[in-house]
Amino acid sequence: MAEYLAKSNNSLSFEVTQGDQLIGKLTYGSWFNFNAIAEIANVTYQIEPKGFWGTTIELKDHEKVLLKFRMNWNGEIVVQTYFNGIKNGFLFKHRGIFKESFVLTDQEGIELLVMKPNLKWSTLNYEYDITTSDAFETFPDKEIVLINALHCANYYMSMMMSAII
């Protein structure tokens, strides 16, 4: 089990840390835009919507798709990874109302990580406390999945806010 913190310095960028160690960054180009740049260990990945409606989001290393996700009809986000030619599936979902959190599970429903959002009223920026399972910590590409989970949480909250407005 490991603890991470995703902290927003402004409304367009997040840094994910474990203790004092920087794990990666997620930077958006503008508000309400799902295009982003993920930086992990000095490697830059592009995150961009695909398709006519832009409902599928892809994370790419240059032109190679490493991960993609889309929201299904009941508000859960289906995540597919393609690391080293191996396809894996995950489910990212919102849990709770008053003590809300986000959960990433594998195909068997086993929780891999839990993200708890905290709105900092003084700056109106979000922070996420992230707890991962021992199984998640063994993933070779866990940093990419971790940064993508942050993007999924932001995507979910943006989609829910647009549904309210």
Side-chain angles (χ1 to χ4, degrees):
M1 190 174 286
E3 302 281 331
Y4 298 88
L5 176 65
K7 186 175 181 179
S8 176
N9 299 325
N10 59 49
S11 57
L12 298 176
S13 68
F14 290 82
E15 288 186 348
V16 178
T17 57
Q18 184 178 28
D20 292 335
Q21 182 181 1
L22 179 66
I23 302 301
K25 295 180 184 180
L26 179 65
T27 307
Y28 294 93
S30 64
W31 280 29
F32 303 109
N33 186 340
F34 300 123
N35 288 30
I37 301 292
E39 297 174 63
I40 302 164
N42 296 321
V43 178
T44 301
Y45 302 95
Q46 300 79 33
I47 302 173
E48 51 194 37
K50 287 293 173 192
F52 181 72
W53 297 107
T55 55
T56 297
I57 311 291
E58 293 181 340
L59 182 143
K60 300 190 317 189
D61 182 7
H62 296 75
E63 293 303 313
K64 183 177 180 181
V65 175
L66 299 177
L67 183 151
K68 64 181 174 180
F69 69 85
R70 63 176 169 71
M71 188 174 284
N72 66 14
W73 61 272
N74 62 352
E76 298 170 335
I77 297 175
V78 178
V79 180
Q80 294 175 319
T81 62
Y82 305 95
F83 302 125
N84 301 316
I86 301 169
K87 182 178 176 182
N88 277 316
F90 302 95
L91 197 59
F92 185 87
K93 54 189 169 182
H94 181 257
R95 181 168 67 181
I97 294 180
F98 298 110
K99 290 189 175 196
E100 72 175 333
S101 61
F102 296 98
V103 179
L104 181 73
T105 62
D106 65 11
Q107 291 176 332
E108 286 78 39
I110 298 169
E111 287 186 7
L112 299 173
L113 68 79
V114 177
M115 300 178 67
K116 295 183 181 177
N118 299 309
L119 177 62
K120 298 300 176 188
W121 287 102
S122 59
T123 59
L124 293 178
N125 290 325
Y126 270 99
E127 290 183 2
Y128 295 92
D129 294 315
I130 305 168
T131 304
T132 61
S133 69
D134 291 335
F136 181 84
E137 289 300 311
T138 65
F139 288 6
D141 296 295
K142 69 180 179 184
E143 293 85 3
I144 295 173
V145 176
L146 186 64
I147 296 292
N148 187 70
L150 174 60
H151 189 61
C152 285
N154 292 333
Y155 178 79
Y156 180 89
M157 293 212 288
S158 178
M159 295 302 280
M160 292 305 111
M161 288 303 289
S162 66
I164 293 171
I165 297 176

